[in-house]
Amino acid sequence: MDSDSDDNLVLHTLLSAAQDAISQRGETSHREKKHRKYINRDREAAHELLVRDYFAPDSLYDLSKFEDHFRISRNLFLRIASDLERNYEFFQLRWDARGKRGFTTVQKCTAALRQLGYGITADASDEYLKMSERTGRDCTYLFCEYVIELYRDIYLRHPTKSDVEQLYAAHEAKHGFPGMLGSIDCTHWEWANCPNAWRGQFTRGDHGVPTVILEAVVSNDLWFWHAFFGMAGSNNDLNVLHASPIFNDILQGKAPHMSYVVNGNEYKYGYYLGDGIYPEYATFVKSFSFPADEKRKLFKLAQESARKDVEKAFGVL
């Protein structure tokens, strides 16, 4: 056979196979659509049960149980739910084209917080909340997006001049450290679903499991003034600091000039309390590893006591 005949035969075979695949795909798709089962979930009953369990005046679970199950207080939950309902259509109670009532705000927020708090799958609360997997995923994704959009500029921002003045006054009054902005430290957050190919770089020997590092600066009222999250768990605090944007405002000239005086010397920028791993920068005040006299021992106790602010914040988080 000549080459043209061979080419024609190959083309004919490919076209036949493609047509067969298309027809089979169409039949399969038609068969799936034809036999798809609709689940008539009782959303109204699920909402009433949720209210009786947690939100009614004589609810089944008290406030302490609410915090155990939701990981936040009920007042905070209701505040977030109210803000989401007021600002975003997705979290408002709506009816579909058939006139069927949708999910309420508390149902959607509960679905999101259950997934975030326990790491469960999107359809794990279907029996309780009567919510499909797709809706559960949408609730969690949009809850995260909208909470960041609503509260980021208020609760996770750089300090203004007024904030710095209050931080100076509060830390000097409570800890005896004038010019202190807060305490800096890192914590490891376990990453249960870390891909196997990445486990080596995200696992450190003393933890034994993959972790992601959070670097934070916290003031005495547990307020996070800086958060840098995402470094692999195999790094230490010094590696994280070198990649952190904590000093960007100072380097770019955006940080407020708030001077203070210590021992007759005037300083332009505040400082952070850190542990021994941090470098000898003017912006870090560290403890003495081996205090030689009573004065240094007293300073060591005061510094370590004040630095517990960030440890307490990590515990609460």
Side-chain angles (χ1 to χ4, degrees):
M1 297 176 66
D2 55 18
S3 60
D4 290 340
S5 299
D6 291 343
D7 293 342
N8 291 335
L9 180 60
V10 172
L11 286 173
H12 177 73
T13 305
L14 289 174
L15 287 172
S16 299
Q19 289 175 351
D20 292 341
I22 291 173
S23 61
Q24 291 176 4
R25 180 180 177 184
E27 292 175 0
T28 303
S29 177
H30 177 71
R31 186 164 57 249
E32 289 176 352
K33 291 181 180 179
K34 184 177 180 181
H35 294 284
R36 183 178 179 182
K37 184 178 180 180
Y38 173 74
I39 301 176
N40 185 20
R41 296 175 172 86
D42 193 350
R43 302 171 183 174
E44 292 84 353
H47 170 74
E48 293 174 0
L49 177 61
L50 181 62
V51 170
R52 288 199 305 269
D53 285 347
Y54 294 104
F55 299 100
D58 55 345
S59 59
L60 177 62
Y61 300 103
D62 59 14
L63 296 180
S64 62
K65 285 296 183 180
F66 187 98
E67 292 191 18
D68 291 342
H69 295 169
F70 285 82
R71 308 295 177 91
I72 61 174
S73 68
R74 189 166 69 183
N75 287 337
L76 179 57
F77 177 95
L78 294 175
R79 177 185 173 187
I80 295 174
S82 177
D83 290 344
L84 291 173
E85 182 182 16
R86 183 170 58 254
N87 291 279
Y88 301 103
E89 183 182 3
F90 177 83
F91 284 94
Q92 298 170 1
L93 177 60
R94 296 175 295 172
W95 281 258
D96 60 18
R98 301 167 298 169
K100 185 175 178 60
R101 196 180 85 165
F103 293 101
T104 61
T105 305
V106 293
Q107 283 177 288
K108 294 177 180 179
C109 292
T110 299
L113 284 174
R114 287 292 172 85
Q115 294 176 58
L116 294 172
Y118 296 98
I120 60 177
T121 58
D123 62 344
S125 300
D126 188 9
E127 296 87 351
Y128 182 58
L129 298 175
K130 306 302 180 184
M131 185 177 293
S132 68
E133 180 180 5
R134 178 179 177 180
T135 305
R137 285 199 306 266
D138 291 342
C139 290
T140 304
Y141 175 77
L142 293 176
F143 181 89
C144 295
E145 289 289 317
Y146 294 156
V147 163
I148 292 173
E149 187 175 309
L150 279 174
Y151 303 118
R152 175 177 53 195
D153 294 339
I154 301 175
Y155 293 104
L156 188 61
R157 57 180 173 80
H158 299 291
T160 62
K161 280 192 173 184
S162 176
D163 295 327
V164 173
E165 289 178 353
Q166 296 180 31
L167 289 173
Y168 283 176
H171 289 145
E172 184 173 7
K174 181 178 181 180
H175 300 308
F177 283 92
M180 173 185 166
L181 292 172
S183 301
I184 184 171
D185 203 358
C186 294
T187 186
H188 289 256
W189 201 274
E190 183 178 347
W191 188 7
N193 296 324
C194 177
N196 289 331
W198 295 359
R199 295 183 74 88
Q201 60 179 317
F202 281 86
T203 304
R204 205 168 74 178
D206 54 345
H207 287 83
V209 294
T211 59
V212 183
I213 300 177
L214 167 65
E215 178 192 70
V217 171
V218 181
S219 56
N220 65 306
D221 55 355
L222 306 186
W223 190 294
F224 282 77
W225 291 104
H226 162 77
F228 176 59
F229 184 69
M231 291 286 289
S234 57
N235 293 281
N236 58 26
D237 296 8
L238 196 59
N239 302 136
V240 177
L241 179 67
H242 289 160
S244 171
I246 186 172
F247 298 130
N248 284 2
D249 281 359
I250 297 179
L251 297 175
Q252 298 170 4
K254 297 179 181 178
H257 292 182
M258 299 295 298
S259 60
Y260 60 95
V261 178
V262 177
N263 295 331
N265 299 317
E266 183 175 346
Y267 300 91
K268 183 186 296 185
Y269 299 110
Y271 56 85
Y272 309 105
L273 299 188
D275 56 18
I277 195 173
Y278 286 96
E280 300 292 339
Y281 293 167
T283 192
F284 293 129
V285 171
K286 305 192 298 179
S287 177
F288 293 103
S289 300
F290 303 101
D293 52 33
E294 292 300 323
K295 184 177 180 179
R296 286 176 171 79
K297 290 180 181 179
L298 181 62
F299 179 85
K300 177 181 174 66
L301 291 174
Q303 194 270 359
E304 293 177 350
S305 174
R307 204 174 61 82
K308 289 181 180 179
D309 290 342
V310 66
E311 302 291 350
K312 181 179 179 182
F314 287 152
V316 174
L317 183 63

